[in-house]
Amino acid sequence: DFLYALENDIKPAFGASEEALTTYMARGIIAWGDPVHHLLEDGNLLIQQAKSPESSGLVSVLLEGPPNSGKTALAAFLAKNSGFPFVKVCTPEDMIGFTESAKCLTIRKTFDDAYKSTMSCIVVDNLERLIDYGPVGPRYSNLTLQALLVLLKKQPPRGRQLLVICTSSRRQVLEDLELIFTFTAVLHVPCLSKSEHLLRVLEETDVFSKRELLNISNKTKDRRVFIGIRKLLAMVDMARQTEEQFRTLKFLSRLEEEGSLEMVA
Amino acid sequence: DFLYALENDIKPAFGASEEALTTYMARGIIAWGDPVHHLLEDGNLLIQQAKSPESSGLVSVLLEGPPNSGKTALAAFLAKNSGFPFVKVCTPEDMIGFTESAKCLTIRKTFDDAYKSTMSCIVVDNLERLIDYGPVGPRYSNLTLQALLVLLKKQPPRGRQLLVICTSSRRQVLEDLELIFTFTAVLHVPCLSKSEHLLRVLEETDVFSKRELLNISNKTKDRRVFIGIRKLLAMVDMARQTEEQFRTLKFLSRLEEEGSLEMVA
Amino acid sequence: DFLYALENDIKPAFGASEEALTTYMARGIIAWGDPVHHLLEDGNLLIQQAKSPESSGLVSVLLEGPPNSGKTALAAFLAKNSGFPFVKVCTPEDMIGFTESAKCLTIRKTFDDAYKSTMSCIVVDNLERLIDYGPVGPRYSNLTLQALLVLLKKQPPRGRQLLVICTSSRRQVLEDLELIFTFTAVLHVPCLSKSEHLLRVLEETDVFSKRELLNISNKTKDRRVFIGIRKLLAMVDMARQTEEQFRTLKFLSRLEEEGSLEMVA
Amino acid sequence: DFLYALENDIKPAFGASEEALTTYMARGIIAWGDPVHHLLEDGNLLIQQAKSPESSGLVSVLLEGPPNSGKTALAAFLAKNSGFPFVKVCTPEDMIGFTESAKCLTIRKTFDDAYKSTMSCIVVDNLERLIDYGPVGPRYSNLTLQALLVLLKKQPPRGRQLLVICTSSRRQVLEDLELIFTFTAVLHVPCLSKSEHLLRVLEETDVFSKRELLNISNKTKDRRVFIGIRKLLAMVDMARQTEEQFRTLKFLSRLEEEGSLEMVA
Amino acid sequence: DFLYALENDIKPAFGASEEALTTYMARGIIAWGDPVHHLLEDGNLLIQQAKSPESSGLVSVLLEGPPNSGKTALAAFLAKNSGFPFVKVCTPEDMIGFTESAKCLTIRKTFDDAYKSTMSCIVVDNLERLIDYGPVGPRYSNLTLQALLVLLKKQPPRGRQLLVICTSSRRQVLEDLELIFTFTAVLHVPCLSKSEHLLRVLEETDVFSKRELLNISNKTKDRRVFIGIRKLLAMVDMARQTEEQFRTLKFLSRLEEEGSLEMVA
Amino acid sequence: DFLYALENDIKPAFGASEEALTTYMARGIIAWGDPVHHLLEDGNLLIQQAKSPESSGLVSVLLEGPPNSGKTALAAFLAKNSGFPFVKVCTPEDMIGFTESAKCLTIRKTFDDAYKSTMSCIVVDNLERLIDYGPVGPRYSNLTLQALLVLLKKQPPRGRQLLVICTSSRRQVLEDLELIFTFTAVLHVPCLSKSEHLLRVLEETDVFSKRELLNISNKTKDRRVFIGIRKLLAMVDMARQTEEQFRTLKFLSRLEEEGSLEMVA
Ligand SMILES: Nc1ncnc2c1ncn2[C@@H]1O[C@H](COP(=O)(O)OP(=O)(O)OP(=O)(O)O)[C@@H](O)[C@H]1O
Ligand SMILES: Nc1ncnc2c1ncn2[C@@H]1O[C@H](COP(=O)(O)OP(=O)(O)OP(=O)(O)O)[C@@H](O)[C@H]1O
Ligand SMILES: Nc1ncnc2c1ncn2[C@@H]1O[C@H](COP(=O)(O)OP(=O)(O)OP(=O)(O)O)[C@@H](O)[C@H]1O
Ligand SMILES: Nc1ncnc2c1ncn2[C@@H]1O[C@H](COP(=O)(O)OP(=O)(O)OP(=O)(O)O)[C@@H](O)[C@H]1O
Ligand SMILES: Nc1ncnc2c1ncn2[C@@H]1O[C@H](COP(=O)(O)OP(=O)(O)OP(=O)(O)O)[C@@H](O)[C@H]1O
Ligand SMILES: Nc1ncnc2c1ncn2[C@@H]1O[C@H](COP(=O)(O)OP(=O)(O)OP(=O)(O)O)[C@@H](O)[C@H]1O
Ligand SMILES: [Mg+2]
Ligand SMILES: [Mg+2]
Ligand SMILES: [Mg+2]
Ligand SMILES: [Mg+2]
Ligand SMILES: [Mg+2]
Ligand SMILES: [Mg+2]
């Protein structure tokens, strides 16, 4: 019957999302520095607010930061550990080649499903892709934008609590489109910016030896670093393929070439 | 038969709208200051005019003000207390992902239904969303705009009285689109602007103790305040999650960060 | 059979139009001053020309003037009193949400029907709405514009007389779109511009007492007035709701606020 | 059978066109001056060239001139007196509300039909309307433009002679769209420009008496005149409705108001 | 069976094209001067390269020059005399009113058919029309452009030789659209530029007598000439209609009026 | 059954791609200089990274360089020699005239198929054509761009390794569209730039004799060269058709005309 179907619909949805959530943090969450801690704290406070029955039924958070800074992984982490029984992911990866209206329907369905649960959490990944933002023109799907503008402010039905976690690497675009003003809170996800951050990540991966790490530490100390966690992990992958004798050198020179490590004056 | 179906059509419509109206003022209407009183008075006068059989059959009002200032709640309040037997809500929340022409049909149907009643009231929420206004471009649905331009001036059939209450946070856009000139009256819904306004709201909510309120009053007195009622209620929710010892301090510093409270010189 | 159906098609069409014509001048035509007389005279001359079998078979008139100046009512008045047996109204109110091509078909059908009668009159109301003119962009329906550009110059079949009366409050737009050059004659419908015009209208309505009228006359004499008849009638409606003691004062101050009455130096 | 159907298709087509041709010169061709003679001569020469089997199979002529100058009537006159057995008219009046591709199909069909005859003539009226030229934007139907660009240069099959006569009041537009360069010859249709031209027309119509004509002649002699024959005939219609005593005066002052007659210094 | 059908498909295709090729040079190729010889030589070399099994399988040539310079006729001439067994013509004349995608399909089919033959030649006439280039905007069919950009560089299957001959009178447009860079070679088709060129053409046609030719030669010697062969032939047609006594004079003055013959100082 | 069908689907896909890969390097890979070696080395390192199970599952490489520089051939070479069992090609040549959404579906299908294999490699040729980039406007298919932006960053399912090799001759366009930032690595494919490079290619082809080569070497030594390998091979083809005595001379002067060889001062 209908109720049974409904439950069925929700369960696999949740299951699928759980798997997706795990994929998004395939390489775990490395606590590479204070910014990570602060962000998780702030995230936690908003989760508590979203859970409180005394609050308004809707809390919406935007995680924004440069490409590769780890936004999607952090959104997945927060959602998974929020304690919300219903978690759903809304990602452009599932809507490739969709028409505007198919996209809107999919997004809307996610929210409508969420409204059926007492407590639910929706991760909306990569807002700029979801609205088909093309920088030349610029172009964007106004239909999808309008849907998000409405859904991110729409009060869930009486007695329902909804937490929405969005990610984006185009803060300015969201401001221009006035989408940013719909959020309860906007949290910034930064890149690694210090030698210590870098070292913390390299320690967690098993590519460099103790001595190599010391060497890297000496060579990068007091130099400005600017690299997203995702990019850094890819460069560590590359270092893994490099012959041991050139590894440290090549790794550092690649960081410099990409502009991720301040040149020595 | 047809007449029976027609009545059926109208009744649940009204029922649904009644529920919607209540949702829109989930947190009630707090009389936080004079502007609220004036607005309700002006609203009342227009309701009387709309009801008078000697007047032209159409009165249309626009409630315009900054985001979060409480426009939708006030429109719902006026409509609910207008004494009009038929009240219908026309909101973008019900038309997510609709094509332009589906939107127009829905709006048109609402008005056509209203024309069937001797006295009816329509709340048209969030005009800028209804016309799919996208600030980059800019873009908007011309079809929907044209429909509104015509409907907001169209005389109901002889002997019918119609009150239309619209809301919008984009006054300038409505002026550019020449939609604003179709209204019988335009009422401004302001933000809270004084310490006293703030205190009135905090008193109504049960988060801060008497002493805390006194403290807040001392600290904000004579400082400019600029915050919408909806945003303020969300910040009160946040304060509720904060540990008691930091609550007042954090609440005030958050107001300052968001630009809602004048910094101390 | 076909002929019978045809007649049937024409008759209700006319009937419906007759009703529409009446609705458009729900509050009658008040002769508030010379401009009204001149306009009716000029209109009459053109009607005579349209009727004359010696003339070319087509006369097209544009009534243009500011919003609320009474264009639609005057067009209806002229059409109703033209003595033409077939009168049809073409108004955007009947085409809300229509696609461009549905609009064109409707307009075309109206003209095709008219060509079947020996003498017919078509009122085309609100040209800027009919072509979906949106000032931001600007946008307009080129398909509809092209249809009008052709139809307003198309000679009816031999032996048929056609009078077309159009209205518009966007003279400049019609010039830019080169629609204005298709008319046989363009008549300007002005706003009320003198105290005497105002008084003439107030006398016709039963809201103000003799003394109040005298008072208003004294207070407005020699001050510039600029208000459309439709707007003025709405303000009279508002005055009707106002308590007697404040009525005159409030009425005049509202006129000033709206910029309809010159401030006293 | 097919051949029979083909002939049937051609015959009524021709019949209909013949009627259309007559309608386009409902008021005849008044020889108001030298420009009319020159134009008819030039037209005749091109007709001879089109008929000559030694020439290339295609001659295309553009009649261009200000609105109301009599282009359509002259095109119809030339076509009717060309001696071509197959004459077809292609006019926007028959394609109101057509989609771009329906328009193209109609135009193409006209040419395809013509290719079937040994000698044929096509009148393509009002090119700017046919391509849906809207001056704001500007906009135009590129599909239709492309069809015309190709068809106006396409050689008919071996042994077929085709004469195409087009009209347009937007020479500059045709230049911008590079349509004008496709024609074998471009002939200018001017407005009336002298008092004598005016008098010749008034003599042909029976509205003014001998004395009135003399009066008009005296009053307009040596003043610049600028009016299209179509507009002039409409003003004569208006004069017919005017009371005799004011007729001459009003007629001349109307000409001045419209800018058709140079003001007296 | 399939193979039989295939051959059938190819044969009539070739047949039809052969006829088309002939139509395109209805008036033959007059060797009016050196530029004609050079162009045919260069064309021949490219044909040899296209035929050589040692070369890459694709040679693409663009014939570009002013309108009426004879591009289409020369392309047809080269194709017909190339000795390629399979010749197909791709011309906008066969695609009037086609949608973008119908156009693409037709073009693609032509190439796909060609790939089936060991040696084939495709004439693609009038590239700017094929891509629906409209100079106001400007507009063009991006879908068709993309198809051409790909097809003009696509290597035929192993063992197939393909020669593509395109024409265009809009070199700058092809450069802007980057279509020009896809060609193996670009050959310029010039207008006639000297008195001798003119005389060579007039001698070939039988309109002017020996004495008239001498007269023309004297009058044009040392004056700059600029006229396309196609336009010149049309003017000769016109001269044929002119009475003998005015012929030479009128012919030369028409050339001057059109800017095809330098005025005498 | 399904599994069987799946394998079937993959096998011919691979087969077809293998053939395509071969076609793309029809003339082999000539090691004309250091840049070729470096590029192949870098390519190899990235292949190793893509194969390593310790790395993230996705490596994406862009080969970018001027038109005709050999990008497609090199991409095919790398893919063929990568040792990946599943190789698929995604090329605009297979999608001529496809709608945007058909294109997206095709691209998406290629990636979805790849995700089913443990290790796969996708060659995406000519990105600017795939997104229908038209330089006038400019125009591009936003739908396809969005699909690529997502797919080039999308992590394959857990345990799958994917290598994507893309080519483009419009680096700036990819930067403007922000597509370039999605790649793990960007490798530049240069043109030949020295006399030695030129000689290396000419030696590999059998057109010029030893003495001719010496001659060319002497004449080009120390002059700047700038030509893509593909263009050079086409000019060698042309030289093959030239008579022996003019061959060297004509070859060099053609290089100079095309700007591929620095003029002698
Ligand atoms: N502290 C951390 N924060 C975020 N991600 C981390 C952290 N430590 C490790 N990671 C890993 O780094 C990767 C971050 O990639 P992710 O896709 O989240 O970045 P992103 O900012 O969303 O990138 P994009 O801008 O492309 O959307 C993930 O694989 C994640 O497991
Ligand atoms: N005096 C008041 N006026 C309006 N709303 C009030 C008032 N007092 C309390 N509220 C509550 O504040 C909230 C106002 O939110 P509302 O959605 O009406 O704001 P809005 O201006 O429509 O926002 P938006 O700009 O997003 O449309 C409602 O929950 C309402 O119950
Ligand atoms: N002299 C008058 N001329 C026109 N209308 C009059 C006059 N006197 C009274 N009226 C009344 O005034 C109203 C005029 O409204 P109407 O809709 O015709 O104005 P409009 O200029 O068409 O407005 P809009 O610009 O919105 O189209 C009608 O109700 C009409 O009955
Ligand atoms: N010498 C003349 N030349 C042209 N038309 C004439 C002449 N004398 C009288 N007429 C009449 O004048 C009218 C000319 O109108 P016509 O529609 O041809 O003008 P037009 O230039 O095509 O107008 P538009 O610019 O609107 O297309 C016709 O009714 C025709 O019978
Ligand atoms: N030497 C010549 N070169 C080309 N055409 C010639 C030559 N001599 C005579 N002709 C004739 O001149 C005409 C050339 O017309 P063609 O249509 O080829 O010109 P075009 O440049 O393609 O024109 P368009 O710019 O309109 O495409 C043909 O009828 C052809 O038979
Ligand atoms: N070292 C080389 N690198 C690349 N291609 C080579 C090399 N040596 C010979 N070739 C041959 O040169 C041709 C290169 O053409 P290819 O289509 O790859 O160029 P491209 O840069 O992709 O051109 P386009 O810019 O048009 O896409 C191929 O036929 C290939 O076999
Ligand atoms: Mg992300
Ligand atoms: Mg609201
Ligand atoms: Mg009106
Ligand atoms: Mg005309
Ligand atoms: Mg040509
Ligand atoms: Mg390539």
Side-chain angles (χ1 to χ4, degrees), chain E:
Chain E
D1 66 353
F2 182 71
L3 278 173
Y4 174 81
L6 191 71
E7 277 205 63
N8 258 24
D9 182 28
I10 290 172
K11 270 191 196 146
F14 181 72
S17 285
E18 183 121 74
E19 201 183 296
L21 291 181
T22 316
T23 311
Y24 292 140
M25 26 183 189
R27 306 193 135 205
I29 300 293
I30 301 168
W32 51 258
D34 280 1
V36 179
H37 296 121
H38 291 322
L39 200 141
L40 293 178
E41 262 171 44
D42 287 358
N44 202 41
L45 209 103
L46 287 157
I47 291 172
Q48 293 324 311
Q49 184 184 344
K51 279 167 141 174
S52 157
E54 288 159 300
S55 301
S56 133
L58 174 73
V59 168
S60 58
V61 195
L62 174 68
L63 300 186
E64 63 80 18
N68 301 313
S69 56
K71 303 168 297 294
T72 304
L74 286 168
F77 182 83
L78 288 174
K80 216 182 160 189
N81 299 300
S82 66
F84 277 72
F86 179 97
V87 180
K88 200 98 198 247
V89 177
C90 209
T91 165
E93 296 186 356
D94 295 340
M95 307 184 209
I96 293 165
F98 275 33
T99 61
E100 284 185 294
S101 79
K103 242 177 203 175
C104 283
L105 275 184
T106 307
I107 299 171
R108 187 186 176 159
K109 172 118 183 39
T110 310
F111 278 79
D112 281 345
D113 284 355
Y115 297 148
K116 292 177 195 155
S117 270
T118 322
M119 290 187 67
S120 27
C121 169
I122 301 176
V123 173
V124 184
D125 193 30
N126 217 337
L127 286 177
E128 65 273 26
R129 277 299 78 68
L130 216 55
I131 58 169
D132 288 326
Y133 181 77
V136 173
R139 304 210 204 152
Y140 61 95
S141 158
N142 196 29
L143 202 71
T144 318
L145 172 65
Q146 299 299 327
L148 288 169
L149 282 169
V150 170
L151 285 169
L152 287 173
K153 279 209 112 177
K154 181 174 176 178
Q155 209 59 27
R158 183 175 287 263
R160 306 289 152 99
Q161 310 286 121
L162 176 62
L163 169 66
V164 185
I165 309 177
C166 301
T167 77
S168 173
S169 54
R170 301 297 305 255
R171 190 191 165 101
Q172 188 57 53
V173 169
L174 299 204
E175 277 181 26
D176 293 347
L177 296 173
E178 301 176 3
L179 197 50
I180 212 164
F181 309 118
T182 60
F183 290 98
T184 311
V186 176
L187 305 181
H188 181 66
V189 182
C191 278
L192 289 81
S193 57
K194 299 185 181 168
S195 168
E196 296 88 74
H197 299 159
L198 193 73
L199 265 296
R200 276 294 290 120
V201 174
L202 299 187
E203 280 160 18
E204 291 284 325
T205 57
D206 53 353
V207 173
F208 295 96
S209 69
K210 281 265 157 69
R211 239 186 56 199
E212 287 175 321
L213 287 176
L214 200 66
N215 192 358
I216 293 177
S217 176
N218 284 333
K219 289 212 166 121
T220 59
K221 163 167 55 184
D222 295 330
R223 289 166 71 185
R224 228 169 328 118
V225 166
F226 188 81
I227 188 166
I229 178 73
R230 181 171 167 163
K231 182 99 202 162
L232 179 54
L233 292 173
M235 297 193 91
V236 169
D237 284 349
M238 229 173 266
R240 190 179 281 118
Q241 304 307 320
T242 323
E243 285 173 66
E244 223 184 300
Q245 58 198 110
F246 307 125
R247 196 177 281 154
T248 303
L249 210 75
K250 279 224 163 170
F251 175 71
L252 289 176
S253 71
R254 271 200 214 105
L255 282 180
E256 286 174 347
E257 272 166 34
E258 301 253 353
S260 304
L261 179 62
E262 196 187 4
M263 298 277 179
V264 206

Side-chain angles (χ1 to χ4, degrees), chain A residues 143, chain B residues 95 97-107 130-132 140-145 147, chain C residues 97 139:
Chain A
L143 202 70
Chain B
M95 307 184 208
F98 275 34
T99 60
E100 284 186 293
S101 79
K103 242 177 203 176
C104 283
L105 276 184
T106 307
I107 299 171
L130 215 57
I131 58 169
D132 289 326
Y140 62 93
S141 158
N142 196 29
L143 203 70
T144 316
L145 172 64
Chain C
R139 304 210 205 150

Side-chain angles (χ1 to χ4, degrees), chain B residues 37 195 235:
Chain B
H37 295 120
S195 169
M235 297 193 90

Side-chain angles (χ1 to χ4, degrees), chain D residues 20-214:
Chain D
L21 291 180
T22 318
T23 311
Y24 292 141
M25 27 183 187
R27 306 193 136 204
I29 300 292
I30 302 168
W32 51 258
D34 280 2
V36 179
H37 295 120
H38 291 322
L39 200 141
L40 293 178
E41 263 171 42
D42 287 358
N44 202 41
L45 208 103
L46 288 157
I47 290 172
Q48 293 324 312
Q49 183 184 344
K51 280 168 141 173
S52 157
E54 287 160 300
S55 302
S56 133
L58 174 73
V59 168
S60 56
V61 195
L62 174 67
L63 301 186
E64 63 80 18
N68 301 313
S69 56
K71 303 169 296 295
T72 304
L74 286 167
F77 182 83
L78 288 173
K80 217 182 159 188
N81 298 302
S82 66
F84 276 72
F86 179 97
V87 181
K88 199 95 197 251
V89 177
C90 210
T91 166
E93 297 185 355
D94 295 340
M95 307 184 207
I96 293 166
F98 275 34
T99 61
E100 283 186 294
S101 79
K103 243 176 203 175
C104 283
L105 275 185
T106 307
I107 298 171
R108 187 185 177 161
K109 173 118 183 38
T110 309
F111 278 80
D112 281 347
D113 283 357
Y115 297 148
K116 291 177 196 156
S117 271
T118 321
M119 290 188 67
S120 27
C121 169
I122 301 177
V123 173
V124 183
D125 194 30
N126 216 337
L127 286 177
E128 65 272 27
R129 278 297 78 69
L130 215 56
I131 57 169
D132 289 326
Y133 181 76
V136 173
R139 305 211 204 150
Y140 61 94
S141 158
N142 196 29
L143 203 70
T144 317
L145 172 64
Q146 299 299 325
L148 288 169
L149 282 169
V150 170
L151 285 170
L152 287 173
K153 279 209 113 177
K154 181 174 176 179
Q155 210 60 27
R158 184 176 287 265
R160 305 289 152 98
Q161 311 285 121
L162 176 62
L163 169 65
V164 185
I165 309 178
C166 301
T167 77
S168 173
S169 54
R170 302 297 304 255
R171 191 192 163 102
Q172 188 57 52
V173 169
L174 298 204
E175 277 181 25
D176 294 347
L177 296 173
E178 302 176 4
L179 196 51
I180 211 162
F181 309 118
T182 60
F183 290 97
T184 311
V186 176
L187 306 181
H188 181 66
V189 181
C191 278
L192 290 81
S193 57
K194 299 184 182 170
S195 169
E196 296 87 74
H197 299 159
L198 193 72
L199 266 296
R200 275 294 289 118
V201 174
L202 300 187
E203 280 160 18
E204 290 285 325
T205 56
D206 54 352
V207 172
F208 296 95
S209 68
K210 280 264 155 72
R211 240 188 55 202
E212 286 174 322
L213 287 175
L214 200 67

